[in-house]
Amino acid sequence: MFKFKNEKRELKRIIEAILLVAYEPVKTVAIKKVLNKSSDTIEKIIKELQEEYRKEDRGFQLKKVSGGYRFYTHHDCRDYIEKFFTSTIRGYFSQAALEVLAIIVYNQPVSRITINEIRGVRSESVISTLLSKRLIEKASKGFGPGHPILYKTTPLFLESFGLNSLKDLPPIEKFSEDIKNETHSKEENRYLNIINTKDGNRYLNVIAIDGPAGSGKSTISKELSRKLKFFYLYTGAMYRTLAYLALKREVNLYDEKALTDLTIDSPIEIENDAEHNSIIKIDGEDVTNKIFTNEVSDASSKIAIYKGIRKVLSEKQREICEKGKIVVEGRDATTVVCPDAIVKIFLYATPEERAKRRVKQLIEMGQEPPKFNELLKQIKERDERDKNREIAPLIKTEDSIYIDSTNLTVSQVVEKIINIYRKKTYVI
Ligand code: C5P
C-alpha cells in the first residue's frame, strides 16, 4: 500500500493539515483528488488519526459528520473557548450579524418582521446564529396578529462588546447623518448586492425568473447573466440532480424521509463555466450531462413536492442570492428563494410551444425525443404538479412582470428584461 516507510507518515500529516483548515466536513473523495490514493487507504489513515486523537485525549477530536470528517474542539474546552471568543469577539462578526445586532440593540424588544423590514433582506439564519451564540434571546411575545416573538440582547452581548449597560452605546442620532450620506451613484448599482430605490425600499440585486418547464427560463437566464456579468443560478438543476441520485441509488421516490436524508447528505455544487452554462457536481463529480433525461425530468417534479428537500435546497439557493448579482430561475425564485429581488419575472409559453422546444433541445443533446403527444402530456402533468403542490407552488406574484415568450425570440425576451432592470436600477 505504501512505497516508502515514511510515506504513510507523510500522508497522515497532509490529511491532518487538510482537515484542520477545511471549513466543512471533508469527504474521502475530496482528499483522494489531492493525494491520488485509494479511498480505502485514505479512510484507514483517517481512522488511525481519529484513534490517536481519541487515545491522547487531545483538544481536538476528529469526527464523521454529513458523510465527511471534521475536527471539533473537545467539549471539555468549551468554556475556555467561549471566554476567548467573548474577549476578542468583535473581529468574528459578519456584516449581516453586525447589522442585525445593531437593529436589535436600538429597537429592542423587536420582532423578526421588523428586523427584516429594516434590513430589506431576510434575516432568519442570522437571528438563529446570534441566538445560538447567546448574544440575543427571546424577550417575550408581542401584541398584534400572530403575537410575534420579540428579541433582545443578552448580558453576554454587553460583555462581548465591553459595555456595562446599553446606556454606554452612542445615541442613534449620531449615525443618521452617515446614513443620509450613504447614497450610491446610479452607475454603481450594477455592481452592488443591495439596491436602495428612490421609494426607500431595499432589494437584492437579483433578477428572479419563474415559469413552467420549457418556457425559456434557462436560455434567457443564461443570456441575461452573460450580458450583465451576473452568476446564473439554475435551481431546477438541483432538483434534477437529487432525482438523478435517487434513481441511481434506487431510493423510493415516494419515501420523503429517505429523500430528505439524501438531500442533506449530498452536497450539490453549482458553478458557471466561461459561457455561463450551469455545471453541477456531486462530490466533485460532474453530473451535468446526466440530469436532463426524460426519466430525471419526471422524477424531479415528483420529489420537488417534499418540504424537507425544498427547505435544504432553497436555503442554499437563498444564500447564493444574498451575494447579489445573480440571475436565479425556477418555480419559487420569486416567491421563496428571492422575494426581494429587484426584478421579478413570470415567463410563460403555451404547452405546445414548450413541447416543440423540448424536442429540439433533446435532439441537440443527442437524445431520442419521445412522441410529441407523450411529451405534451408529460409537460402538462408536470405543470399541474408544480402549480398545485402544497409547498412553494408555481404562481405569479403580484409584483412579477408577465412575459409570454410563445412568439418571441430569445433576444427579444432578454432585451425586455434588461430594459426592466435598467428602469428599476437606472443603469447600463
Ligand atoms: O427547471 P427544470 O424544469 O429543469 O426543473 C426540474 C423540476 O424541478 C421541475 O419540474 C420542478 O418540479 C422542480 N423545480 C422546483 N422548484 C424550482 C426549480 C425546479 O420544484 N425552484
Side-chain angles (χ1 to χ4, degrees):
M1 191 186 287
F2 302 107
K3 280 195 220 137
F4 318 106
K5 204 170 153 208
N6 277 339
E7 191 190 354
K8 185 170 156 197
R9 195 176 119 74
E10 195 54 24
L11 288 175
K12 199 184 270 184
R13 289 179 65 233
I14 298 168
I15 293 175
E16 190 178 24
I18 291 174
L19 292 172
L20 191 68
V21 296
Y23 288 109
E24 296 199 337
V26 181
K27 299 214 162 162
T28 328
V29 278
I31 301 179
K32 196 174 156 191
K33 273 200 225 149
V34 182
L35 290 181
N36 209 9
K37 289 281 162 197
S38 74
S39 301
D40 281 354
T41 309
I42 294 166
E43 281 279 340
K44 197 163 170 254
I45 294 179
I46 294 179
K47 290 263 149 48
E48 281 187 22
L49 265 176
Q50 233 176 349
E51 195 48 25
E52 283 168 24
Y53 274 82
R54 195 191 59 76
K55 260 197 194 148
E56 290 178 24
D57 199 22
R58 301 276 288 270
F60 278 121
Q61 297 291 309
L62 189 50
K63 289 189 184 162
K64 191 164 190 183
V65 271
S66 317
Y69 292 91
R70 182 179 183 168
F71 275 119
Y72 283 89
T73 50
H74 200 291
H75 57 82
D76 286 356
C77 310
R78 198 174 159 235
D79 288 351
Y80 299 96
I81 292 168
E82 200 166 85
K83 240 188 209 164
F84 167 75
F85 273 100
T86 51
S87 60
T88 51
I89 205 156
R90 263 162 288 186
Y92 292 89
F93 283 109
S94 66
Q95 184 61 30
L98 284 174
E99 277 180 29
V100 172
L101 270 178
I103 292 167
I104 297 177
V105 167
Y106 285 101
N107 298 278
Q108 56 190 316
V110 58
S111 73
R112 178 181 53 78
I113 295 161
T114 310
I115 298 171
N116 285 349
E117 269 171 16
I118 296 176
R119 281 190 78 218
V121 286
R122 288 197 323 210
S123 309
E124 281 73 1
S125 62
V126 186
I127 293 174
S128 11
T129 310
L130 293 173
L131 280 170
S132 70
K133 288 189 187 295
R134 294 192 284 123
L135 291 161
I136 59 167
E137 61 192 358
K138 289 175 186 170
S140 60
K141 285 203 170 181
F143 300 104
H147 306 298
I149 293 168
L150 303 176
Y151 297 98
K152 63 175 186 177
T153 52
T154 60
L156 184 62
F157 163 81
L158 292 176
E159 199 186 308
S160 311
F161 281 80
L163 301 165
N164 288 324
S165 89
L166 289 171
K167 290 191 190 115
D168 293 350
L169 283 165
I172 188 83
E173 296 72 40
K174 187 177 175 306
F175 302 110
S176 54
E177 206 47 41
D178 296 348
I179 293 164
K180 258 188 240 154
N181 294 334
E182 199 200 286
T183 50
H184 301 290
S185 78
K186 289 171 182 178
E187 289 69 30
E188 275 177 348
N189 280 348
R190 196 181 349 166
Y191 307 102
L192 300 172
N193 68 333
I194 288 174
I195 296 178
N196 297 298
T197 52
K198 273 202 249 172
D199 52 15
N201 288 324
R202 295 178 93 200
Y203 297 93
L204 277 177
N205 191 6
V206 168
I207 299 179
I209 306 179
D210 280 330
S215 54
K217 297 184 305 289
S218 300
T219 317
I220 304 292
S221 302
K222 205 186 324 170
E223 193 53 25
L224 272 172
S225 72
R226 238 185 259 157
K227 290 211 153 157
L228 295 168
K229 299 197 170 52
F230 280 14
F231 182 83
Y232 165 43
L233 176 56
Y234 173 21
T235 59
M238 295 187 171
Y239 291 91
R240 285 176 177 275
T241 307
L242 254 167
Y244 160 75
L245 262 187
L247 292 170
K248 192 173 154 199
R249 299 194 188 162
E250 296 182 353
V251 177
N252 181 347
L253 296 185
Y254 299 95
D255 185 343
E256 181 169 2
K257 162 93 176 60
L259 289 165
T260 307
D261 289 346
L262 184 67
T263 321
I264 294 165
D265 291 340
S266 316
I268 298 169
E269 294 155 55
I270 189 156
E271 299 167 5
N272 279 183
D273 68 7
E275 295 296 302
H276 289 231
N277 294 302
S278 271
I279 307 295
I280 319 296
K281 292 183 179 169
I282 313 172
D283 280 338
E285 186 204 349
D286 186 343
V287 293
T288 316
N289 286 333
K290 299 179 180 158
I291 60 170
F292 292 97
T293 62
N294 243 10
E295 195 189 11
V296 172
S297 300
D298 195 49
S300 58
S301 79
K302 285 187 179 143
I303 62 153
I305 59 170
Y306 297 123
K307 195 174 166 190
I309 296 180
R310 300 208 69 86
K311 185 168 182 294
V312 177
L313 294 188
S314 52
E315 271 174 12
K316 188 166 179 133
Q317 293 153 9
R318 171 70 193 177
E319 229 171 74
I320 299 174
C321 285
E322 283 189 3
K323 295 187 179 128
K325 297 191 283 174
I326 310 278
V327 179
V328 55
E329 56 113 335
R331 305 295 188 286
D332 58 352
T334 60
T335 52
V336 177
V337 179
C338 205
D340 45 355
I342 184 87
V343 170
K344 297 205 248 175
I345 305 287
F346 189 90
L347 197 59
Y348 175 79
T350 59
E352 289 71 16
E353 172 64 21
R354 292 189 274 135
K356 265 195 246 162
R357 291 178 189 173
R358 181 79 181 130
V359 169
K360 197 167 158 250
Q361 189 191 29
L362 286 171
I363 292 171
E364 277 168 8
M365 286 164 69
Q367 290 178 27
E368 173 97 4
K371 286 205 176 83
F372 186 82
N373 280 343
E374 179 53 31
L375 193 57
L376 188 59
K377 188 171 152 254
Q378 275 179 12
I379 285 181
K380 287 182 176 169
E381 279 170 7
R382 272 173 74 195
D383 280 1
E384 285 309 302
R385 276 201 292 266
D386 289 349
K387 277 192 298 193
N388 296 321
R389 68 181 171 218
E390 220 169 278
I391 305 149
L394 172 65
I395 50 158
K396 181 199 162 302
T397 63
E398 249 178 42
D399 54 350
S400 290
I401 294 161
Y402 182 88
I403 300 180
D404 184 347
S405 74
T406 310
N407 297 310
L408 295 177
T409 63
V410 170
S411 43
Q412 282 171 326
V413 179
V414 170
E415 203 177 315
K416 254 180 194 284
I417 300 177
I418 290 203
N419 279 336
I420 296 166
Y421 179 79
R422 184 194 294 153
K423 269 192 203 143
K424 287 239 180 185
T425 60
Y426 311 100
V427 285
I428 310 173

